[in-house]
C-alpha cells in the first residue's frame, strides 16, 4: 500500500453527498481496488448551515480553493460554469487528477480543460457527465478508439423521455405531463434546460467531440425542444408505426464531391419520429440509451439510468477508482482485478426457479401425488398447467407444466429426481430454469 | 511524435487479417489517436502457403518467438492454449503490452496472465474476448470499479442465440436449425463449443472475475448447453410469456446467517426462460447483450455484435490504441481526444426526412397544389395520408400528413416555408423529422 490519496469533493448536493457516503462507507473496498486508501479530505459547500445526513460536519468547508490546493484527486459536482472552471483549472495545474460530472462546463470549455489536463500530465475524467450511470464516455474514448464512429443517436435526457413516453402511453398533453413530472420530481421547477433541449445539446457536444476526435462546442449544436410536440403528432406517429423521442444526434458527414460537400460533423438535438421496431423506441420512462454505429463494430447500444444521485455517483466513483489506480501505478500495469478471494458457490446452494414439463398418467389423483413430491422437499409451486392433446387422451396421458417459486437448486433437483420415481409420471420432458423475472 | 511502436500480430485468420488490414489501411488515424505511428512489424502464421488478400506476404513469418521478442505491442488472435500462453507470457516478461481475444486462455489462465502483466508493469487488454465489439470488459473493470456489481445476465454466444431465436420464431427443431446455421456460417462444423455452452462458460468466468474482483476459472462455471431444448419447451415458454435464451449468469451471493450461507460468487450457463418483457428477450439473431445490475448504477445493458471479423477487430484495435497511448504518455495524462479539426456542418446541409402535418382546405386540387410545392424544391414524397374528422368536414378542412424521402434540410425547411404561403394551407400543425429508419 502506498500513501493515502487525498480526495477533495466540490459540492454536496444529491450526487455529492452520495459520493461522500460511499467513500466514507466502503473504505476497504476502495483501498483494495486502487492499492491506496482514499481519504476524503473535505467537502466544499456554499454554506455550512444545512444539515447533511451521513456527512460529518467536520468535513465541510466553504474554502474550496484551500481544499483543492491540498488534494490528489478533485471531484467537482457543484455544477455551473464558475467557480467550477477556475477550481478545476487550478487543480489540474497543481497536479491533481480531476473527476467531474459537469456537462455544461465540458460542453463550453471542454477543449480548454482537456488541454490543461494534458499539459499537466494528469487525468480529467467525466463519465458521469453524459447519461449518468451508463458507461459511454470511456467506451467512445477507449474501446472504440480504433474504429470509426459514423453516427450516434442518444436518448440522453430522462425528463423529456419521461414526458414523451407518458404522452405516448396516455395521449395526454405536454403541459399536463410536465406538471405531473414536476410533482414526481422527474422535472425541475424551471424545466427549461431539459424541455428546450439544452441539457441534451451539452451531451451531444461532448459525445461528438469524443466520437469524432474534433472539438464540438455547445454553440455548434442545433437545438429544438419538445414544448411544441402535440398529442395529435404523438397519435399520428403511433398510427404510422413511429414513436416520438428527443434525440441527440451526432453524425460524421462524408465528403460528397458531386454535391460539393466537404466532410465534417453534425451535432443536433430535436424531437424525431423513430420506427417502433428501433432499439431506442423501447427506452421507457426516465431511462437513457445511446445507440452507436461504427464502421467495424456495427451497431451498439448502451442502456441504463441517466440521472439521480446513486447512478451518477456510480460513474463518478468509477472515475475516482480509475484515476487513483493510475496515480498508484503511474499508469503502467494495472491493478489486478482479482484481489478478492470470494468462494465459488456451487450451483446446489443457489436459489433458482424451475419450470418442469411432465408426461403423466391422465387419471384422478395424479396432481396431488405430483404436488406432494414438491411439498415434501419444501418447494412451493407458483403455477400448474395441465393440457391433454387428442393423442394424449387416446393414450391416457397428459402434459403437466409446473413453475415453482424460488428455492434452493438442490431441493429443486431433488424434487425432479423424486418425480422420476413416481409411478404416475411417464417421463420428465424438460427441466428449465426461469431467470430475469421480477 | 515519438518513435514508432512495433506491433506484432500472432495469427492471421478472419479476425487477425481484419486487424492487419485496418492497421495498414489507416496509419494516419492510428498515429493521430495515439501520438505514435503503429508499425505492423510482422504476422506469425502456421504456414506461409495460403493466400491472404490485402496482406503483404513479406509481413508473414512462422517464427512467432522472434516476432514477439522484438515488439512493443503483441496482439494474440491465434486462439487455443499453447503456444498462445507461452508467447503472451514471454511478451509480457520482455516488457511488451499484450492485446488478446483468447477467451479460452483467459478463462483457464487469466490469473497467471494478469499477474504476469502486473509484475512486468505492462498492460494486458482483452476487450474482444467477451461479446466481440461490445465494450463490456472496460466498463466492468473501470467504469463500474467504484460500484458493487450484484448480477450479470449475458447472451454472450451468437450461435446459440441464433438457433434459439429461429426455434422461437419458426417452431423448428434444434437439429434442423443447427444444420441451417452451419450452412449460413453462423455455426462451426463442430458446434460443440457453442451449443454445449463451453464458449459462454469461458466468458462467464472472465465476466465474474472482473465484476467480483475474485478469480473465477472455467472449471468453476456450471454448464448446460441447448441440445435438449425441444420445440415443445419453446412453445410452452411462449404460451406463458417467456422466451428461452442461453444465459451466462454471474451472481454475487450475499451472506445469509440464518441459512448458514457464506458470501460468494456463482457463475453458471444454462438455457433459461426469461419474461418476454425483459430487455434481453428482444436480443435477436446472432446479436449479444450483457445485462448488468449494480448497487448504485441500477440496471445497465450493453448490446451489439458479439462475433465476426470486423466487430471483433474493432475491440482489438481499441485495445491497441489504448495500450499505445499509455506507452506514449507513460499513462499519465491522456492523448487529447480533440486532435482533428473537422468542420461543423450546419443543419441546412444535412439530409433529413420530414414528417409534416398540414391543416388544409378540403377541396379538389389541394393535394396537387401541395405536392407541387415539394416538387419545386426537388423534395420527393414517400407517403401522403389525408383524414377528415366530422368537425373538419363541417368546417371544410382536412388534415394532410406527408412523409418525405431524405432530402437536404434547407430544401425541406424551404418547402415548409413555401407551404405557409399557399392559400389552401390553413396551418402547418407540426414539422418533425424521422430518424433511425432503415
Amino acid at each position: 500500500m502506498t500513501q493515502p490519496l487525498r480526495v477533495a469533493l466540490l459540492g454536496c448536493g444529491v450526487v455529492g453527498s452520495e459520493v461522500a457516503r460511499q467513500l466514507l462507507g466502503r473504505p476497504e473496498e476502495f483501498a483494495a481496488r486502487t492499492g491506496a486508501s482514499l481519504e476524503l479530505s473535505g467537502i466544499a459547500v456554499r454554506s455550512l448551515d444545512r444539515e447533511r445526513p451521513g456527512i460529518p460536519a467536520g468535513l465541510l468547508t466553504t474554502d474550496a480553493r484551500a481544499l483543492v490546493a491540498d488534494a490528489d484527486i478533485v471531484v467537482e459536482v457543484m455544477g455551473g460554469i464558475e467557480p467550477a472552471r477556475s477550481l478545476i483549472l487550478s487543480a489540474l495545474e497543481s497536479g491533481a487528477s480531476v473527476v467531474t460530472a459537469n456537462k455544461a462546463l465540458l460542453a463550453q470549455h471542454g477543449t480548454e480543460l482537456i488541454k490543461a489536463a494534458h499539459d499537466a500530465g494528469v487525468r480529467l475524467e467525466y463519465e458521469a457527465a453524459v447519461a449518468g450511470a451508463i458507461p459511454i464516455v470511456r467506451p467512445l474514448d477507449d474501446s472504440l478508439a480504433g474504429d470509426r464512429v459514423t453516427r450516434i443517436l442518444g436518448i440522453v435526457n430522462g425528463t423529456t423521455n419521461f414526458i414523451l413516453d407518458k404522452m405516448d402511453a396516455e395521449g395526454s398533453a405536454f403541459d399536463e405531463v410536465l406538471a405531473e413530472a414536476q410533482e414526481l420530481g422527474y422535472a425541475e421547477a424551471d424545466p427549461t434546460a431539459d424541455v428546450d433541449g439544452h441539457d441534451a445539446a451539452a451531451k451531444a457536444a461532448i459525445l461528438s467531440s469524443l466520437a469524432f476526435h474534433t472539438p464540438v462546442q455547445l454553440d455548434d449544436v442545433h437545438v429544438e425542444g419538445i414544448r411544441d410536440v402535440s398529442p395529435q403528432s404523438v397519435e399520428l406517429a403511433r398510427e404510422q408505426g413511429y414513436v416520438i423521442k428527443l434525440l441527440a444526434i451526432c453524425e460524421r458527414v462524408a465528403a460528397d464531391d458531386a454535391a460539393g460537400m466537404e466532410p465534417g460533423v453534425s451535432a443536433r438535438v430535436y424531437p424525431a419520429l423513430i420506427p417502433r421496431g428501433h432499439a431506442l423506441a423501447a427506452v421507457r420512462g426516465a431511462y437513457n440509451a445511446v445507440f452507436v454505429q461504427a464502421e467495424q463494430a456495427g451497431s451498439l447500444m448502451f442502456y441504463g439510468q441517466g440521472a439521480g444521485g446513486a447512478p451518477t455517483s456510480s460513474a463518478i466513483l468509477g472515475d475516482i477508482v480509475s484515476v487513483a489506480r493510475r496515480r498508484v501505478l503511474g499508469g503502467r500495469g494495472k491493478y489486478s482485478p482479482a484481489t478478492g478471494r470470494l468462494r465459488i458457490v456451487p450451483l446446489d446452494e443457489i436459489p433458482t426457479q424451475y419450470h418442469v414439463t411432465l408426461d403423466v398418467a391422465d387419471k384422478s389423483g395424479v396432481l396431488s401425488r405430483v404436488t406432494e413430491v414438491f411439498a415434501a422437499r419444501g418447494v412451493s409451486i407458483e403455477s400448474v398447467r395441465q393440457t391433454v392433446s387428442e393423442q394424449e387422451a387416446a393414450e391416457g396421458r397428459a402434459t403437466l407444466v409446473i413453475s415453482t417459486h424460488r428455492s434452493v437448486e438442490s431441493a429443486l433437483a431433488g424434487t425432479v429426481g423424486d418425480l422420476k420415481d413416481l409411478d404416475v409420471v411417464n417421463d420428465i420432458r424438460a427441466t428449465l430454469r426461469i431467470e430475469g423475472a421480477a
Side-chain angles (χ1 to χ4, degrees), chain A:
Chain A
M1 276 289 168
T2 52
Q3 281 198 306
L5 292 172
R6 294 173 64 79
V7 180
L9 193 56
L10 309 181
C12 198
V14 176
V15 174
S17 56
E18 183 64 32
V19 170
R21 277 192 294 269
Q22 295 292 328
L23 285 173
L24 295 169
R26 301 191 277 128
E28 306 82 12
E29 265 177 67
F30 289 105
R33 292 187 196 175
T34 61
S37 62
L38 304 187
E39 183 191 310
L40 185 55
S41 58
I43 307 175
V45 291
R46 242 174 292 175
S47 143
L48 297 173
D49 295 346
R50 204 153 62 79
E51 273 285 312
R52 292 173 173 90
I55 312 288
L59 283 175
L60 303 176
T61 171
T62 53
D63 191 351
R65 294 229 149 250
L67 195 61
V68 163
D70 188 35
D72 298 302
I73 299 171
V74 172
V75 181
E76 186 272 308
V77 284
M78 62 204 305
I81 303 300
E82 285 297 351
R85 177 179 152 275
S86 307
L87 289 167
I88 289 176
L89 285 172
S90 109
L92 294 170
E93 280 155 22
S94 72
S97 300
V98 172
V99 173
T100 175
N102 194 328
K103 54 204 163 251
L105 178 62
L106 286 160
Q108 282 181 55
H109 301 280
T111 309
E112 178 190 21
L113 299 177
I114 288 166
K115 186 173 180 311
H118 182 66
D119 291 348
V122 293
R123 313 276 306 177
L124 170 71
E125 301 284 351
Y126 46 94
E127 185 61 79
V130 184
I134 308 172
I136 181 65
V137 169
R138 196 164 279 118
L140 283 175
D141 202 19
D142 284 338
S143 311
L144 288 163
D147 205 331
R148 226 185 247 168
V149 175
T150 51
R151 195 153 192 252
I152 297 174
L153 295 181
I155 295 175
V156 292
N157 180 275
T159 305
T160 47
N161 201 57
F162 176 86
I163 293 173
L164 290 171
D165 188 31
K166 273 257 171 192
M167 289 177 70
D168 180 56
E170 297 170 5
S172 22
F174 171 80
D175 291 332
E176 227 173 278
V177 185
L178 172 61
E180 194 184 333
Q182 284 169 323
E183 246 170 65
L184 290 168
Y186 283 121
E188 313 261 344
D190 176 3
T192 312
D194 293 318
V195 302
D196 292 336
H198 304 305
D199 173 80
K203 292 161 178 169
I206 297 170
L207 290 175
S208 298
S209 302
L210 282 166
F212 307 127
H213 312 275
T214 208
V216 178
Q217 310 233 329
L218 189 55
D219 290 347
D220 299 324
V221 184
H222 171 89
V223 193
E224 298 170 30
I226 66 163
R227 285 187 202 267
D228 295 337
V229 175
S230 68
Q232 186 192 25
S233 287
V234 171
E235 181 57 29
L236 281 169
R238 176 209 309 285
E239 286 171 19
Q240 297 185 288
Y242 294 104
V243 59
I244 298 179
K245 297 285 189 189
L246 182 69
L247 295 183
I249 304 171
C250 312
E251 254 178 353
R252 180 189 293 272
V253 179
D256 183 343
D257 292 340
M261 182 85 151
E262 283 172 55
V265 304
S266 161
R268 50 196 205 269
V269 170
Y270 46 63
L273 285 76
I274 56 171
R276 283 200 183 255
H278 194 285
L280 288 175
V283 179
R284 306 290 309 269
Y287 272 82
N288 280 200
V290 182
F291 189 81
V292 179
Q293 288 173 301
E295 284 184 5
Q296 304 296 313
S299 297
L300 299 168
M301 193 168 85
F302 304 79
Y303 168 92
Q305 290 181 52
T312 308
S313 80
S314 170
I316 290 171
L317 291 162
D319 279 350
I320 293 174
V321 168
S322 176
V323 300
R325 280 179 180 161
R326 299 260 158 73
R327 290 187 89 87
V328 171
L329 297 167
R332 301 182 65 239
K334 172 185 235 165
Y335 203 73
S336 164
T339 48
R341 290 282 151 181
L342 287 169
R343 78 179 176 119
I344 307 296
V345 183
L347 183 64
D348 269 356
E349 297 179 28
I350 299 291
T352 56
Q353 209 182 337
Y354 264 38
H355 185 269
V356 188
T357 310
L358 302 174
D359 176 344
V360 296
D362 187 17
K363 55 184 182 193
S364 69
V366 167
L367 190 57
S368 83
R369 298 271 314 273
V370 166
T371 54
E372 258 168 30
V373 173
F374 285 82
R377 292 271 183 179
V379 174
S380 103
I381 290 175
E382 189 187 73
S383 75
V384 181
R385 188 160 162 272
Q386 178 162 353
T387 57
V388 187
S389 68
E390 269 182 45
Q391 195 194 334
E392 282 174 332
E395 295 171 4
R397 297 183 301 110
T399 298
L400 216 53
V401 182
I402 300 175
S403 299
T404 73
H405 282 292
R406 279 192 163 249
S407 195
V408 171
E409 169 78 22
S410 58
L412 291 162
T415 305
V416 172
D418 294 348
L419 288 171
K420 276 191 193 133
D421 298 335
L422 215 59
D423 58 355
V424 294
V425 172
N426 302 319
D427 187 23
I428 296 178
R429 288 231 202 94
T431 308
L432 289 158
R433 299 179 191 83
I434 299 171
E435 297 285 344

